[in-house]
Each structure stands twice: as C-alpha cells, then as structure tokens.
C-alpha cells in the first residue's frame, strides 16, 4: 500500500514538473518573439543614419555569409549619411549587391572606394509607411505569441488526459494565458514607442 501511495505521489510530482516545464517553455518562446520584434523594429529607421540599418545583412565572404560590419568599416558621416568602406576592395560590389538585395529602401552609391547610403528625408507618407511596417512586425509577433499559447495549452490538455490533476492543469492554462497577455502588452508598448519615434523625427 505504501509503495502504491509513493508511486501515485511520484507520478503526480513528475506531472506537476512537466506542467511547470510547459509554462517555462511557453515563456521562453514568447521572450524570443519579443527579442525578434526588437531586432526588426531597430531596422525600421526613422530617417536618422545609424549603422544598425545594416544589421542582419550578410555578404558572401569567401563562401561564408558574414555581417557587413565584419568586412568593412561602417561609419555615420552625418545625420543622413552612412559610409561603408570595405577592408578589401574586391568586396565593394558584393556589399553593394547585398544592400540592394536586402531591400532597406536606400540605393547604395558606390564610388569605387566606398559605398555611401543617403537616408531619404521622411515625408508624411513615408512616416505612415514606416508605422505600417512596424505594425506588421508587431502583428507577426502577436501571431507567434498566440501560436505558442495554443501549442502549450494543447500540451497541458495532453497531460490532463494522462492523469494530471484538473486543478493543476487549469492553473497552468491560466498561467500561460497570463504570460500571453503580458507579452502581447509588451508588443503594444514597443509599437507605441516606435510610432512615436517615427512620427516625431
């Protein structure tokens, strides 16, 4: 009898640990969605020259995709101009092609020594486009967060079918919903900040 009780207890403990892990995994996934959003929003530049506009653009360096900042000197010349000077001259055309291919809304000017990027002045229309782009990124993040919630709640229901306590499962589902609300609110906060930055440059 004692053996049976300890078996039941240890099974409950294992299931309770599994449910805790599901919650932790859900939170990790949601944090990643926010991190991804933060990176994408930094790429939406509000008219000011910043080296971060080139983040995430890789160039083929002897067969290896390499960030531009690792094959060239990236400098801000003034509030509207970025200079990209490769350490090896033969990289110039490759960097130019990579920037064109990244579709960042700026045409690189190659003078045979360096590439200059001139930030276009922001019209009202362009600002609205940037806000729309930021909102689209935010929407993607919200979808990712909701998908994480759905997948992890399914895992909780599976645990319940396998005998986990209904109360603990309900508590876990509530916790996952709470995380969802928290991270969706974080997306909204990021978007608000970005919209303010774009509209007040």
């Amino acid at each position: 009898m004692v053996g049976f009780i300890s078996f039941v207890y240890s099974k409950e403990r294992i299931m309770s640990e599994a449910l805790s892990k599901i919650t932790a995994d859900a939170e990790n996934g949601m944090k990643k969605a926010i991190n991804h959003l933060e990176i994408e929003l930094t790429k939406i530049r509000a008219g000011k020259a910043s080296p971060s506009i080139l983040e995430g653009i890789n160039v083929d360096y002897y067969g290896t995709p390499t960030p531009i900042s690792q094959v060239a000197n990236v400098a801000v010349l003034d509030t509207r101009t970025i200079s990209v000077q490769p350490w090896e001259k033969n990289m110039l055309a490759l960097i130019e092609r990579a920037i064109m291919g990244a579709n960042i809304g700026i045409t690189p000017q190659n003078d045979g020594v360096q590439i200059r990027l001139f930030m276009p002045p922001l019209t009202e229309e362009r600002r609205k486009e940037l806000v729309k782009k930021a909102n689209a990124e935010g929407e993607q993040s919200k979808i990712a967060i909701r998908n994480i919630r759905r997948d992890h709640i399914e895992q909780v229901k599976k645990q319940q079918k396998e005998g986990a306590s209904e109360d603990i499962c309900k508590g876990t589902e509530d916790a996952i919903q709470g995380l969802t609300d928290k991270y969706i609110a974080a997306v909204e906060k990021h978007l608000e900040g970005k919209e303010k930055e774009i509209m007040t440059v």
Side-chain angles (χ1 to χ4, degrees):
M1 186 66 185
V2 173
F4 176 71
I5 289 166
S6 65
F7 167 74
V8 169
Y9 174 71
S10 65
K11 190 182 178 197
E12 271 184 15
R13 204 183 79 228
I14 288 164
M15 288 194 154
S16 172
E17 281 169 7
L19 289 166
S20 296
K21 188 179 180 308
I22 290 169
T23 309
D25 285 351
E27 180 155 31
N28 278 338
M30 290 176 190
K31 274 183 185 161
K32 280 182 188 155
I34 295 291
N35 289 345
H36 178 73
L37 174 66
E38 286 166 355
I39 291 164
E40 292 307 312
L41 290 181
T42 59
K43 291 180 192 168
I44 301 172
R45 298 309 307 169
K48 279 196 191 115
S50 163
S52 67
I53 195 164
L54 298 173
E55 272 172 24
I57 303 176
N58 289 326
V59 64
D60 183 1
Y61 186 65
Y62 301 107
T64 306
T66 309
I68 288 176
S69 58
Q70 288 178 24
V71 295
N73 184 33
V74 179
V76 174
L77 301 181
D78 58 49
T79 54
R80 294 216 169 273
T81 319
I82 295 169
S83 137
V84 182
Q85 195 155 10
W87 296 320
E88 295 172 34
K89 206 168 176 200
N90 63 333
M91 294 303 295
L92 207 56
L94 292 172
I95 291 171
E96 182 182 14
R97 222 175 10 244
I99 294 169
M100 296 279 280
N103 208 0
I104 55 173
I106 300 166
T107 306
Q109 309 291 321
N110 181 348
D111 65 7
V113 178
Q114 64 178 342
I115 290 166
R116 288 183 190 210
L117 301 171
F118 298 101
M119 309 300 289
L122 282 187
T123 59
E124 184 71 17
E125 199 180 324
R126 179 74 184 130
R127 286 179 208 267
K128 283 178 181 164
E129 266 175 41
L130 291 175
V131 168
K132 207 184 273 183
K133 198 173 173 189
N135 285 334
E137 288 297 343
E139 204 44 55
Q140 287 302 316
S141 299
K142 286 181 189 174
I143 289 167
I145 289 165
R146 289 188 188 117
N147 286 344
I148 290 163
R149 174 191 61 190
R150 187 198 61 218
D151 294 347
H152 287 76
I153 281 181
E154 274 173 21
Q155 289 178 37
V156 174
K157 291 193 188 310
K158 195 171 163 222
Q159 289 287 327
Q160 194 173 335
K161 275 189 191 139
E162 287 171 14
S165 138
E166 195 177 323
D167 286 349
I168 296 175
C169 288
K170 177 79 178 80
T172 306
E173 285 184 22
D174 290 346
I176 292 169
Q177 182 58 52
L179 289 171
T180 306
D181 296 343
K182 174 182 158 185
Y183 286 101
I184 294 274
V187 170
E188 292 291 355
K189 198 159 188 266
H190 279 306
L191 291 180
E192 262 173 48
K194 193 69 190 179
E195 183 166 348
K196 199 172 170 195
E197 178 197 321
I198 292 167
M199 297 312 279
T200 55
V201 167

